[in-house]
């Protein structure tokens, strides 16, 4: 399983987004946090900024929609240039239909779960997805401390993915850093969103490389990866 590092521009300098996108050379995706001040108590950016970012970088955009009514808005982010669009199952009215629409428009479809949302009720939806995002903090703000109590949930999710033989990426977002990424990888995550751990570093590109090396070293020995 290939480890992927997705720097989150929530921790970048919003006045220099094009430069900040170029500063994370070697990243697999650029994680774009979209917040509407309704689903979460914060307001960030929307479709016009995603359109501008898509023109400013060759790194594909991974848009995480922390918004109400994603059934209505998610397709617009595909049209704006996102290569992957994540909606929250807590906000979606028809998650299967939405995932299929995102895929039909040419992007990867991803579903996110808040910390208190269990994975088990959504087992039957997994084949409709390209990625599942386990939030390891409450969505809404960057720089929060990693919630260790999410590690068993990551393990259970990986077990479900393996049970069904799916090529489904398992992403974690929230408090991912040099101090936590190895635990996430051991539990079963293979896609890692890192904000302040990357953009707070003196050399963001080197931070990406270092995080990748940590995760790869653990994944190479992890039982879930060997079984796969």
């Amino acid at each position: 399983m290939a480890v992927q590092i997705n720097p989150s521009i929530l921790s970048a300098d919003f006045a220099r987004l094009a430069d900040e996108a170029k500063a994370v050379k070697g990243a697999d995706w650029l994680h774009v946090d979209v917040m509407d001040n309704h689903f979460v108590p914060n307001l960030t950016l929307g479709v016009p900024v995603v359109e501008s970012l898509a023109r400013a970088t060759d790194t594909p955009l991974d848009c995480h929609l922390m918004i109400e009514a994603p059934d209505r808005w998610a397709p617009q982010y595909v049209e704006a240039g996102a290569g992957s669009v994540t909606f929250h199952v807590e906000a979606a009215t028809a998650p299967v239909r939405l995932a299929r629409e995102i895929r039909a428009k040419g992007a990867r479809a991803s579903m996110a779960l808040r910390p208190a949302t269990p994975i088990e009720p959504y087992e039957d939806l997994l084949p409709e997805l390209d990625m599942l995002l386990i939030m390891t903090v409450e969505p809404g703000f960057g720089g929060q401390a990693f919630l260790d109590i999410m590690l068993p949930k990551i393990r259970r999710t990986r077990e479900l993915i393996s049970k069904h033989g799916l090529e489904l990426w398992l992403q974690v977002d929230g408090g991912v850093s040099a101090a936590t990424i190895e635990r996430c990888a051991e539990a079963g995550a293979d896609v890692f969103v890192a904000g302040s751990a990357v953009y707070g570093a003196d050399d963001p590109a080197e931070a990406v490389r270092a995080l990748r090396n940590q995760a790869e070293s653990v994944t190479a020995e992890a039982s879930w990866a060997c079984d796969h």
Side-chain angles (χ1 to χ4, degrees):
M1 300 294 287
V3 164
Q4 300 183 63
I5 306 296
N6 300 8
S8 170
I9 63 167
L10 185 64
S11 297
D13 182 348
F14 275 26
R16 303 173 51 253
L17 283 184
D19 292 336
E20 295 282 64
K22 294 181 176 68
V24 290
K25 184 177 180 181
D28 298 282
W29 297 76
L30 198 62
H31 191 80
V32 182
D33 290 299
V34 178
M35 306 183 194
D36 63 359
N37 204 32
H38 294 285
F39 181 71
V40 292
N42 196 4
L43 183 66
T44 54
L45 44 81
V47 169
V49 175
V50 171
E51 288 176 337
S52 296
L53 266 176
R55 293 192 296 267
T57 180
D58 293 329
T59 305
L61 303 183
D62 167 30
C63 287
H64 177 192
L65 307 185
M66 288 167 273
I67 63 174
E68 292 182 351
D71 304 75
R72 174 184 178 188
W73 297 109
Q76 294 187 33
Y77 285 88
V78 183
E79 295 165 3
S84 176
V85 176
T86 301
F87 60 89
H88 269 265
V89 71
E90 303 91 351
T93 301
V96 170
R97 183 174 63 196
L98 179 55
R100 290 180 178 180
E101 185 173 3
I102 291 170
R103 280 175 156 181
K105 286 184 173 291
R108 295 180 64 87
S110 172
M111 188 173 78
L113 279 66
R114 300 182 84 143
T117 303
I119 179 59
E120 287 79 8
Y122 303 104
E123 179 178 354
D124 292 343
L125 274 63
L126 297 183
E128 301 289 339
L129 304 169
D130 298 296
M131 183 169 73
L132 191 79
L133 167 55
I134 301 295
M135 291 298 300
T136 44
V137 299
E138 284 295 341
F141 295 94
Q144 298 183 63
F146 180 81
L147 295 174
D148 286 276
I149 57 172
M150 290 298 102
L151 291 171
K153 182 176 174 180
I154 297 169
R155 290 191 182 93
R156 293 196 305 273
T157 303
R158 174 55 66 186
E159 289 169 0
L160 289 178
I161 292 170
S162 298
K163 171 185 173 182
H164 294 282
L166 300 173
E167 294 293 334
L168 180 64
W169 296 350
L170 180 51
Q171 185 180 66
V172 288
D173 180 5
V176 175
S177 69
T180 60
I181 193 168
E182 294 182 10
R183 279 176 280 164
C184 293
E186 189 278 329
D190 54 6
V191 184
F192 305 89
V193 177
S196 53
V198 170
Y199 281 111
D202 293 335
D203 184 341
E206 175 57 33
V208 169
R209 286 191 290 271
L211 289 170
R212 186 189 306 280
N213 288 339
Q214 281 188 272
E216 286 180 343
S217 66
V218 172
T219 300
E221 303 295 330
S223 60
W224 65 265
C226 296
D227 292 343
H228 186 85

